[in-house]
Amino acid sequence: MKKLILYILLFILLMFLWQHFGSTNNHMKMLISSPSFCLDYFEENSRALWQATYTTLYESFLGLIIAVFFAFLLMILCFLFDGLYKFILPIILSSQVIPLITLAPFFIIWLGIGVESKIALVAIISFYPIFLNFSTGYNSIPTTIFELMEIYKAKNKFRILKVYFPLSLQNIFTGLKISATLSVIGAIVAEFTGAKVGIGKNLLLTSIRIEPELMMISIFLSALIGGTLFGVIYGLERILGKWYINDKRIK
């Protein structure tokens, strides 16, 4: 409770300083505006701003879901076929040499300026942390458990659902929480290269129009999206990972 009060006081102090310097210093006003001006701007343009927020959230969420699907599918295939993991892991690792954000123009050319190109880039960026953390969790399973399953000749369905997934769950959620924020970054960067609507487009416009109010509001809205996705995953972890959340470091 004391920490919460401290955070609230710190937030109020920052807002006060922002309001003071943003309204009294012309240089600061041109850079970051002030809370009162931002609120007035938001009221006047709320419909367009919420539409941009919804679009970026849609791109981030759907791209993240697609990344989760293919990461899980690939890991299941690795469980079923011996040697597949050792074959594809170097390929996946070497693919990270390419800064994936630079692929945004490629997806724009391939899929167009709509949300499809943004979703594709988000999925590509979000895939790696999920797959890598899942595989790390799988590789950290003690060898005695694998030997025990061999002794009892456990079926693949039992191994995957009752052993591999549960024992890798903490690592899976670590990857999901990383990808939750990366998905928003991917969507916004993709919107920089071309978009009809979105927070990324708004941020790009701020440098052209010199609208600090739009910039600050867009930053807060992007933080809202990232915080929402992270919060959803954190909530799921609290439900599905009760057996390991007793560790105080995770609370």
Side-chain angles (χ1 to χ4, degrees):
M1 188 63 182
K2 291 182 180 179
K3 282 187 178 180
L4 179 60
I5 295 173
L6 183 60
Y7 291 145
I8 293 173
L9 292 175
L10 180 60
F11 177 77
I12 293 172
L13 176 62
L14 289 174
M15 290 297 104
F16 173 79
L17 293 174
W18 180 19
Q19 177 64 35
H20 173 72
F21 289 106
S23 58
T24 58
N25 188 301
N26 290 329
H27 183 66
M28 293 294 292
K29 182 179 178 180
M30 290 296 295
L31 288 176
I32 59 174
S33 187
S34 68
S36 58
F37 290 141
C38 289
L39 286 174
D40 292 338
Y41 186 94
F42 184 82
E43 290 178 2
E44 294 174 4
N45 304 274
S46 59
R47 184 174 181 180
L49 290 169
W50 282 124
Q51 184 180 5
T53 305
Y54 170 78
T55 302
T56 304
L57 174 61
Y58 175 77
E59 295 163 353
S60 303
F61 178 74
L62 195 57
L64 183 61
I65 292 298
I66 293 172
V68 170
F69 173 79
F70 280 104
F72 280 29
L73 177 63
L74 189 56
M75 278 305 302
I76 291 172
L77 291 175
C78 291
F79 296 154
L80 297 176
F81 299 100
D82 294 334
L84 179 60
Y85 176 76
K86 291 182 179 180
F87 174 75
I88 65 170
L89 185 61
I91 298 174
I92 294 175
L93 291 175
S94 61
S95 69
Q96 300 306 302
V97 175
I98 303 172
L100 297 178
I101 290 176
T102 61
L103 297 176
F106 168 76
F107 286 114
I108 292 289
I109 296 172
W110 182 30
L111 298 173
I113 203 172
V115 297
E116 293 82 4
S117 56
K118 314 324 183 273
I119 293 170
L121 183 63
V122 170
I124 292 293
I125 291 176
S126 303
F127 170 83
Y128 180 74
I130 299 170
F131 178 82
L132 184 63
N133 278 277
F134 195 166
S135 62
T136 301
Y138 169 71
N139 289 323
S140 65
I141 298 175
T143 54
T144 52
I145 293 179
F146 292 104
E147 293 171 356
L148 187 64
M149 287 188 292
E150 289 295 331
I151 293 173
Y152 286 99
K153 296 181 179 179
K155 295 182 179 180
N156 286 327
K157 183 178 179 181
F158 177 86
R159 296 186 184 194
I160 293 171
L161 296 179
K162 302 296 184 179
V163 179
Y164 299 156
F165 269 94
L167 294 182
S168 303
L169 197 60
Q170 186 172 355
N171 294 83
I172 291 172
F173 274 110
T174 299
L176 286 173
K177 285 184 282 190
I178 294 171
S179 292
T181 53
L182 285 178
S183 66
V184 183
I185 295 172
I188 290 175
V189 171
E191 290 168 352
F192 283 162
T193 58
K196 297 177 182 178
V197 65
I199 291 178
K201 180 182 179 181
N202 289 346
L203 286 169
L204 184 63
L205 290 175
T206 60
S207 61
I208 301 171
R209 298 177 181 174
I210 311 180
E211 290 185 279
E213 293 84 9
L214 179 59
M215 179 189 70
M216 296 304 297
I217 291 171
S218 298
I219 291 173
F220 278 110
L221 290 175
S222 62
L224 176 64
I225 295 174
T228 300
L229 293 177
F230 186 91
V232 169
I233 294 171
Y234 179 80
L236 288 174
E237 184 180 24
R238 301 291 295 186
I239 296 172
L240 300 177
K242 290 182 179 179
W243 60 274
Y244 66 79
I245 290 183
N246 291 329
D247 188 340
K248 293 182 179 180
R249 291 171 298 178
I250 302 175
K251 289 184 178 180

